[in-house]
Amino acid sequence: MFLAAHLPYLPPTLEDIDSVNFAMGVREFDIARHQPHPPGYPVFIALGKASTALLRRAEVAGAEARGLAIWSALSGAALVGLIAMLFAALRQRGDAGGGGGPPASRRTETWATVLAVASPLFWFTALRPLSDMTGLAGALAAQALLVSVINRWTGRYILLAGAFLGGLAIGIRSQTFLLTLPLLGLAIVAPHPHLRIRDRVAAVAAAGLGVLAWGIPLIWASGGLSDYAAALGSQAGEDFSGVVMLWNVRSARVAADALMYAFLWPWGGLATGAIVTGLGVVGVLRVGWRQPRALALLAIAFGPYAIFHLLFHEAVTVRYALPLVVPVAYLAAAAVESRYRWLQPAVAGSIVAVSLAMVVPAAAAYGRQGSPVFAAFRALERGPEADAEAPGLDAVSMHASARRAAQWERGALPMRLLEAPHGREWLALVEEWRARPQSSVGFVADPRRTDLALIDPAGRRLLEAYRWPFAEPPFVGGARPGGADLYWMTPPRWMLDRGWSVGAEVAGVTARDRLGPHVQ
């Protein structure tokens, strides 16, 4: 049912800059050029190459975007079973009766699974051409196997399989090591009547083998260890500069934002998020009292990732909170477990109904329209015949947030592409009109930027404002680029070069460049 509800709505375009990087990596793998961005995601790229080739052969429109997104849909469908397996494995062996466990516990596991997969963040991310859902599927498969070993449901072969999957999943999405390695360490050292020392050593080797399975091809394709290390270092510098995260902006406001985007927005809004998270807090107390071992395992499985996410991920990028939906759903369902059999279905079912009412229309709109910035480039690709108001465009320019999308569309655009350094995009227009005074330019603008105030507004006409057809959080919160304004710009009567302070944004650039009449 989950898969059938998603396959018709796979997006027709790429969207976030990461999805463009993935698609470029599918086309030509080159980490140094961020195709994809480091650390490289080799397993996900291999999957994307296979699916994209099949969709191209079948002549499916938007094969690049859908070739990546189909793995999100397939992984989301697999996660329905994997989440249920993980929750079942949390039960201690002694808790299982002849029916496979107490009926109340099995009902809680079922409703917890439904809550998780119906959450707006989970449901919508299963459509996006990104690695988040596929990485989570690999991590939870490993978690379910390892927890079953820790709770003595299974033995050596499951331990080896879980260890190998834990290592392999890092090649899908690097952050999964925070979800798998803590449990693997516990599974190796925990008492078990059927595990010997050699089995525990073999588990370490299996995890290493899972890493080597993607690590060796990755290093080879990157040109060697030194080249790969250089690319990785450049990405680390970018991740820690210009991004608002709690680690580098230590303030109460950023901490509040990090908690809000991690635990409230994934459930569709502040009100529904507060209800689910509040139930989760009650669930912590209840599970801690009745099943302290299960609560401890949840903390080991998801606690390290939660800490990393709150400290080192950009607060507004909601999709990074995807793994945290799983433990919160379990704790919320446990909070309403009652001897009154109607209570749990009533509460959990109401949350599911509200979640689906929010996310299903958004998913359908996403499947029809795709990304706003790609809609703007599609309008440019159709050329002047498509818009009588914009005849004879000679070049295209854009704000930096749209640059990666423009590079992807470069071959399809019928006009020249103008690029300039981030934060100084108006200079590309200045240089164009200095060199070609009669040139007409299409400009794809970030609506949050103000630097176009440096160009005569009489020479600028807004052709179309493209926006997401839904609220950005919880669905695409933090996506870059977001909305886009498409302008037709004719030769201006005047334009300003460097050294001005027309508005706060431009004043900041001038101050950083140490320009202005009081300096130079």
Side-chain angles (χ1 to χ4, degrees), residues 51 81 186 200 252 365 381 494 500 504:
S51 57
L186 180 59
R200 301 171 194 270
E381 289 168 18
W494 57 265
W500 296 82

Side-chain angles (χ1 to χ4, degrees), residues 339-354:
R339 62 189 179 92
Y340 301 106
R341 293 173 60 91
W342 56 267
L343 181 62
Q344 194 174 51
V347 175
S350 298
I351 295 171
V352 168
V354 171

Side-chain angles (χ1 to χ4, degrees), residues 174-241:
S174 56
Q175 294 95 322
T176 60
F177 80 93
L178 294 162
L179 298 166
T180 57
L181 295 192
L183 279 177
L184 175 60
L186 180 59
I188 290 172
V189 302
H192 194 292
H194 304 300
L195 291 182
R196 301 177 181 178
I197 294 296
R198 66 183 183 187
D199 298 324
R200 301 171 194 270
V201 173
V204 176
L209 186 62
V211 172
L212 291 175
W214 56 262
I216 292 175
L218 174 63
I219 299 300
W220 178 80
S222 302
L225 189 58
S226 59
D227 289 346
Y228 178 73
L232 196 62
S234 69
Q235 176 67 23
E238 292 177 14
D239 286 346
F240 277 85
S241 63

Side-chain angles (χ1 to χ4, degrees), residues 48 108 311:
T108 294
L311 289 177

